[in-house]
Amino acid sequence: MEKPSTIEDYHLAQSETDRAICDALRQEIDRGLPGAESKMWHAHPVWFLNDNPIVGYGKLKDCIRLMFWSGQSFQTPGLKPDGSFKVASARFTHPDQIDRNSLQAWLIDSREVQWDYKNIVKRKGRLERLS
């Protein structure tokens, strides 16, 4: 199967429930990060501010995972550390699980707290805080 080239195609490739989750996440992210660039990046929908990845989501085996690249540094609770660096995430199996108030608070945090992922390769894997 060919990888989706647009966010719309990514959503269409999901099951009905997962598509509803993705649609709800996209709507809230677009509302909370006006002016952010959204595109497919590493086969998943991701939003960028000044070329720095901020938030994205993707299908895992049993859920949709919402990831914030700088989420471990956010003040708003509810995200869990995920992988290396400063990534934190939330996981959803149904659109009703999305707390839109928490999501909007995380999006506010994502503007205020950013680590410089854009230059991580140039810095040989070392992150620096931007804001």
Side-chain angles (χ1 to χ4, degrees), residues 66-84:
L66 173 68
M67 293 177 24
F68 285 90
W69 269 256
S70 300
Q72 289 184 31
S73 300
F74 291 177
Q75 293 297 311
T76 306
L79 296 172
K80 295 185 177 7
D82 196 336
S84 57

Side-chain angles (χ1 to χ4, degrees), residues 44-90:
H44 298 96
V46 176
W47 281 253
F48 296 80
L49 293 174
N50 298 320
D51 297 323
N52 199 40
I54 302 299
V55 61
Y57 49 84
K59 173 69 178 151
L60 298 180
K61 181 179 176 183
D62 59 348
C63 66
I64 298 292
R65 175 178 57 179
L66 173 68
M67 293 177 24
F68 285 90
W69 269 256
S70 300
Q72 289 184 31
S73 300
F74 291 177
Q75 293 297 311
T76 306
L79 296 172
K80 295 185 177 7
D82 196 336
S84 57
F85 301 110
K86 303 291 181 185
V87 175
S89 67

